Amino acid sequence: MRKNFLTFLLLIFAIVLSAQERRQSIGVAVGSIDGLSYKCFGKKNQHFAFQFDAYWQYGYLPKGTRIDRTIFGAFKSYTTQTFVSNSPSSLYRAVMTSYSFMYQGDIHSNMKGMWNWHLGAGFAFGMCWGDELDVMTKELGSNKKFRPWLKVDYHLIGGVEYKFAEIPLALGIDLRPGMTSDFYFKGLGTNRNDIYLLTFGWGVNMTVRYCFSKHCH
């Protein structure tokens, strides 16, 4: 799985480098997520930006996370509630792609570089698995086999970035509070089980970007 994800990241990196248009930057993000990060600005308004991230993520399910399970029958459906282990060390792993839209403003500039701030929102989706998620998957899955969960995130994003004047590099840090929805499905139609959990989390990341031109920031 990790090998395929790294291949995917290299492919994205090659595609972006081939574009070579103004007002673009690409780099890496490390922290709550680990992967590639690409940002570009609007052609008509230099303050509006789009950011795409492709990353590998480790995380923990909060203590007492509630699981909602809906069972669909021929004539009715009902929902039951349970909880994962009370241990706060229930680790999960995820492969995700994220799409963020933000506004970026200037803070201060001098001969050495420029400080900027940014604020926006976005969403992410991908697959997750691990620990308690795997236990529930095997209990409800067909033939007790492993299957990943669908993971969907809705997040805010805000932070600061510093662009060097003499070299085409930018350093940044961002915060990403958000809600995460995880889904697992077994069966189809009226003969199925759906499991759903909703969690809140914080993300803190550092970024290093290469700017294709001095106007990318």
Side-chain angles (χ1 to χ4, degrees):
M1 177 68 71
R2 178 173 290 187
K3 181 179 179 181
N4 292 336
F5 177 66
L6 291 175
T7 301
F8 175 65
L9 291 184
L10 291 175
L11 179 60
I12 294 176
F13 185 78
I15 293 174
V16 173
L17 283 181
S18 66
Q20 293 295 324
E21 296 179 359
R22 291 181 60 183
R23 303 182 54 74
Q24 297 184 80
S25 61
I26 189 171
V28 295
V30 294
S32 301
I33 64 175
D34 297 302
L36 284 182
S37 182
Y38 165 71
K39 183 164 69 173
C40 66
F41 291 84
K43 293 182 178 180
K44 295 183 179 181
N45 192 319
Q46 62 180 353
H47 292 291
F48 290 99
F50 165 75
Q51 182 171 308
F52 170 78
D53 302 308
Y55 57 89
W56 179 275
Q57 182 181 33
Y58 288 92
Y60 290 90
L61 294 180
K63 184 177 181 179
T65 298
R66 189 179 75 178
I67 305 297
D68 292 325
R69 176 184 177 188
T70 302
I71 301 176
F72 295 85
F75 302 102
K76 65 178 182 178
S77 63
Y78 61 93
T79 299
T80 60
Q81 296 177 354
T82 185
F83 292 84
V84 300
S85 170
N86 284 328
S87 171
S89 61
S90 182
L91 177 69
Y92 71 83
R93 292 162 289 279
V95 175
M96 305 287 292
T97 58
S98 173
Y99 308 83
S100 302
F101 303 87
M102 65 190 74
Y103 180 89
Q104 181 162 300
D106 300 335
I107 299 177
H108 176 72
S109 63
N110 53 39
M111 296 298 293
K112 295 182 179 181
M114 175 181 291
W115 284 98
N116 293 271
W117 62 271
H118 58 270
L119 182 66
F123 65 94
F125 65 90
M127 299 181 298
C128 63
W129 63 92
D131 285 7
E132 295 291 343
L133 297 180
D134 290 350
V135 172
M136 288 181 281
T137 298
K138 292 179 181 178
E139 288 180 355
L140 296 171
S142 303
N143 300 321
K144 308 294 183 179
K145 292 182 179 179
F146 164 78
R147 285 176 56 189
W149 290 52
L150 173 64
K151 178 178 171 66
V152 182
D153 293 350
Y154 311 93
H155 62 265
L156 299 176
I157 181 171
V160 294
E161 197 168 46
Y162 182 78
K163 168 67 172 62
F164 294 95
E166 300 298 328
I167 57 176
L169 289 179
L171 304 178
I173 185 170
D174 65 62
L175 301 177
R176 301 191 193 190
M179 301 297 296
T180 296
S181 301
D182 298 328
F183 305 89
Y184 177 80
F185 307 96
K186 176 191 175 185
L188 298 172
T190 59
N191 183 26
R192 73 180 192 271
N193 293 344
D194 297 347
I195 313 175
Y196 170 81
L197 66 91
L198 180 67
T199 57
F200 173 81
W202 287 87
V204 180
N205 305 288
M206 296 186 65
T207 57
V208 180
R209 302 179 188 277
Y210 172 82
C211 298
F212 294 137
S213 80
K214 64 180 180 180
H215 303 290
C216 73
H217 203 43

